Structure formats: structure tokens, C-alpha cells
Amino acid sequence: EDQVTQSPEALRLQEGESSSLNCSYTVSGLRGLFWYRQDPGKGPEFLFTLYSAGEEKEKERLKATLTKKESFLHITAPKPEDSATYLCAVQTFGSGTYKYIFGTGTRLKVLA
Amino acid sequence: ETGVTQSPTHLIKTRGQQVTLRCSSQSGHNTVSWYQQALGQGPQFIFQYYREEENGRGNFPPRFSGLQFPNYSSELNVNALELDDSALYLCASSLDGNEQFFGPGTRLTVL
């Protein structure tokens, strides 16, 4: 069965304390892996798409990487405004149909 | 450029009723997906429409149905509402199923 697991469930960091969030997946027919940020009461905000192992993408203090079994979201020198839930999702294609599977997210709190 | 919009923002229904939720895609997008998100959980994929045809479906029963219109706006219909259908319903649009941009969601409460 296709599965996406994110860890840790929650993370508290001091401002400037770098860390990484993990997204491991077991799926067939992987087409892409997506990272989103979600603030309370709002829809997810797109961050990155990764398509193949070894690919990396960066945006401000965030860097996403992908291997054959997992993806990491590295946060460098975080600020309080980076506090949010970070969601990972995979897109699969098989038997002529697309599916999207989200993890349950990592709730990040950055303290000033 | 207009982003993804959804209506209504909030909705209260009773068990057994039917509901229609609406979504306007971002300009230039031809694909729309719908998700159900329970509190504290990740979004669960309901289905996806590409150029008015369904081309993806998650593990939701047939009472969850949808439409995509020629202008790429979309509807999610849920029949015979159950208490467990209470959730945030999210719509996301994309170009050819790539990067998805989400709307703010519709909060549905079933009593």
C-alpha cells in the first residue's frame, strides 16, 4: 500500500537553530514529490516539486532534497515566521489514473 | 493574476443532506483536485479533473462526485452527508497536474 510518513510530528527550534524535516515514502509509480507549508486555518502553500533522486531545490532558508526512498526539508537559521506545518506529498500514476498522498505533516515552532 | 478561490467559506448541514462546494481555478490552469482535511491530519485526495475529465480518484465512496466546467472552475458534490464528512475541503489547481496551488478551503460541519 502506498504510504507517506513524516517525522518528527512536531519540532521546536530556537531562532537560528538549523534542522531537517523528513518525509519517507513507499509508493509505486512515483511521478513527483511536493513540499507545502500550511498556516492554521489556511490552504497549503506550494514550496517545491522534486522529480528525481539527487534533485535539490532552494528557496530562501529552505532546501529540499530527494532520494529514492525519502526527502528532506532543510531549514537554515529559521526565524519565528517560519513557524507552520510543513506537508510532504507524492504524486503517483498507475493504471491510467493519478493519485496524491499526503503525510500528516511536521508542526514547526520557531522561538524568538 | 487571480489565485484559487472557494465558496462558501463555511457551511453547516445536517446528516443526510446534500452539499455543493465551488472552486475557481487560478488563471491559466487546466487541472483541479479536491481534498478533504480533518483537523490535525494531512489532506486526503478525493479526485482530480483534467480538461473536464476525471483522471484520478482517491479512496472515497461514489457519493463524492465532481464536475469541471469549460472555464476550468469546479464543483464538489457530496450526497447523504455523514457526521464524519465534517472537515476542511480544499481545492487545488495546476497546469497539467504539476505544482498545485490551493484555495483557502471550505469548512463543512455536519450535525
Side-chain angles (χ1 to χ4, degrees):
Chain A
E1 182 182 338
D2 294 340
Q3 193 167 353
V4 175
T5 304
Q6 291 189 246
S7 62
E9 290 186 8
L11 183 62
R12 290 166 69 93
L13 299 173
Q14 292 292 325
E15 184 173 3
E17 181 186 1
S18 301
S19 188
S20 296
L21 313 182
N22 177 263
C23 171
S24 62
Y25 58 91
T26 306
V27 300
S28 55
L30 178 71
R31 191 172 179 270
L33 185 142
F34 305 90
W35 282 98
Y36 295 89
R37 168 196 170 122
Q38 187 172 28
D39 293 301
K42 296 188 176 182
E45 174 189 345
F46 171 78
L47 294 174
F48 303 109
T49 307
L50 301 166
Y51 290 107
S52 56
E55 189 174 359
E56 299 183 352
K57 289 197 176 169
E58 286 188 69
K59 177 182 178 181
E60 297 180 353
R61 295 179 293 282
L62 301 176
K63 178 180 178 179
T65 62
L66 180 65
T67 72
K68 288 186 178 180
K69 293 294 182 186
E70 59 189 349
S71 176
F72 291 94
L73 184 66
H74 307 280
I75 303 178
T76 301
K79 298 181 178 181
E81 54 261 42
D82 294 323
S83 297
T85 295
Y86 290 84
L87 295 164
C88 163
V90 297
Q91 180 191 48
T92 68
F93 183 77
S95 303
T97 187
Y98 287 92
K99 288 190 178 182
Y100 297 84
I101 306 158
F102 275 77
T104 54
T106 293
R107 295 187 311 277
L108 174 65
K109 178 72 173 177
V110 181
L111 305 172
Chain B
E1 182 180 271
T2 306
V4 179
T5 60
Q6 293 186 242
S7 62
T9 305
H10 296 88
L11 199 54
I12 298 175
K13 292 286 189 178
T14 56
R15 194 170 46 183
Q17 286 189 312
Q18 178 266 342
V19 69
T20 297
L21 308 182
R22 294 179 174 83
C23 171
S24 291
S25 299
Q26 183 166 311
S27 176
H29 287 180
N30 56 16
T31 306
V32 64
S33 303
W34 284 92
Y35 296 84
Q36 179 194 70
Q37 187 175 26
L39 203 60
Q41 300 296 313
Q44 298 291 311
F45 175 61
I46 303 175
F47 46 62
Q48 176 171 282
Y49 281 82
Y50 170 69
R51 296 187 176 184
E52 302 178 61
E53 296 287 332
E54 183 180 297
N55 72 344
R57 190 171 184 96
N59 298 325
F60 280 80
R63 60 189 185 85
F64 286 80
S65 63
L67 281 174
Q68 187 183 30
F69 300 101
N71 67 354
Y72 301 130
S73 65
S74 176
E75 286 183 354
L76 164 64
N77 299 290
V78 186
N79 293 322
L81 284 166
E82 301 177 359
L83 297 179
D84 286 348
D85 295 334
S86 295
L88 180 68
Y89 287 84
L90 294 162
C91 162
S93 74
S94 64
L95 179 61
D96 299 332
N98 294 314
E99 292 89 351
Q100 294 191 329
F101 293 85
F102 283 80
T106 293
R107 173 71 61 187
L108 173 65
T109 301
V110 182
L111 303 176

